[in-house]
Amino acid sequence: MSESRTELLAWVNSLCQLNYTKIEQCGSGIAQCIIMDSIYRDVPLQKCKFNAKHEYEYVANFKVLQAVFDKHKVSNAIPVERLTKCKFQDNIEFLQMMKKYWDQYYPGGPYDILARRGLGSGAVTGGLVRGAGTVVADRKVATNRKPAAPAGAANSAASGPTRHGAVGNSESPEMHARLVEVTRDRDRQKELVETLEKERDFYFSKLREIEVLVQDVLDGGVLGATVPLEKFKQIQGIMYQTEEGFELPGDDSENPAQAA
């Protein structure tokens, strides 16, 4: 049986050292490249755009993935055009296929994507799900852990330099509160950026559909003649359609056509 969305996200974040919160983010192609690298260790990661924000950058990542598929004779097709639209259904189906392939061919042992990228071995960024992909990091933390000080040294330790996370540290609650505040602010900013990007893509798709309709009219040779009323209705429908989860701004006035 295929893994659920939550299980897939936990696996991707753990293996790939990512911080994804939804399946749609896999539309960038980065996770799939890392998954294949964890199996074969030969993906040219320097060609991958890890901070990709635009569709053409996503396409570049999938070109890297396609080259790896070809090299290792993976017959599964990569629906690049659908994946880069970052729709849930397309991406979860492809990710489930990738997970099945990984289960079959992963050689075992720890995999450290940060070391593969030349960013150091075992470094862990905040908020990551820990698991098979961070075994190296876990071992590093365990190795560097110091033994607890004797009970008689507690008083002298308290008067010495302040240690992060030590019991009795008067600054610890303030630092924790500050960290929580900064984290929340970061999450709010991230959510705002995602919302703005979603609105941008939404309105761009409207303009693109209108452009196609207008071009259809021009190609039909009706320039200078009466344009079919149905075409105007289609354009109006595009202008006023909404996406799931998108709310029109509150306004007591009616739309311009009704007001006229």
Side-chain angles (χ1 to χ4, degrees), residues 151-188:
N155 293 334
S156 59
S159 60
T162 301
R163 293 185 180 182
H164 178 69
V167 176
N169 185 350
S170 60
E171 293 183 0
S172 181
E174 296 178 5
M175 293 176 64
H176 177 71
R178 177 58 179 163
L179 178 61
V180 171
E181 181 183 350
V182 171
T183 301
R184 287 176 178 173
D185 184 62
R186 180 202 63 185
D187 292 341
R188 284 194 295 267

Side-chain angles (χ1 to χ4, degrees), residues 90-248:
D90 295 321
N91 278 280
I92 195 171
E93 288 177 359
F94 192 74
L95 192 59
Q96 286 170 340
M97 182 277 293
M98 293 292 297
K99 178 59 165 63
K100 183 178 180 181
Y101 186 89
W102 185 86
D103 286 340
Q104 184 176 357
Y105 292 105
Y106 184 66
Y111 173 70
D112 191 345
I113 177 58
L114 297 180
R116 287 283 299 146
R117 292 179 61 193
L119 299 179
S121 177
V124 179
T125 57
L128 293 179
V129 179
R130 303 170 74 82
T134 56
V135 172
V136 175
D138 290 339
R139 289 178 178 173
K140 183 177 179 181
V141 172
T143 303
N144 293 337
R145 189 170 297 157
K146 296 181 179 179
N155 293 334
S156 59
S159 60
T162 301
R163 293 185 180 182
H164 178 69
V167 176
N169 185 350
S170 60
E171 293 183 0
S172 181
E174 296 178 5
M175 293 176 64
H176 177 71
R178 177 58 179 163
L179 178 61
V180 171
E181 181 183 350
V182 171
T183 301
R184 287 176 178 173
D185 184 62
R186 180 202 63 185
D187 292 341
R188 284 194 295 267
Q189 294 296 329
K190 182 179 178 181
E191 184 177 350
L192 176 61
V193 170
E194 290 178 351
T195 300
L196 291 175
E197 289 180 345
K198 183 178 180 181
E199 290 185 4
R200 177 201 63 193
D201 295 340
F202 175 67
Y203 286 112
F204 178 81
S205 66
K206 279 178 175 283
L207 290 174
R208 176 57 182 157
E209 289 185 51
I210 292 174
E211 180 184 19
V212 171
L213 275 175
V214 171
Q215 189 62 48
D216 182 50
V217 171
L218 295 176
D219 292 344
V222 295
L223 186 61
T226 301
V227 179
L229 181 61
E230 185 61 31
K231 290 295 181 181
F232 284 110
K233 289 182 178 179
Q234 291 180 29
I235 293 174
Q236 187 182 52
I238 293 172
M239 292 175 63
Y240 289 105
Q241 73 183 3
T242 60
E243 195 175 46
E244 182 179 354
F246 179 82
E247 297 181 2
L248 291 173

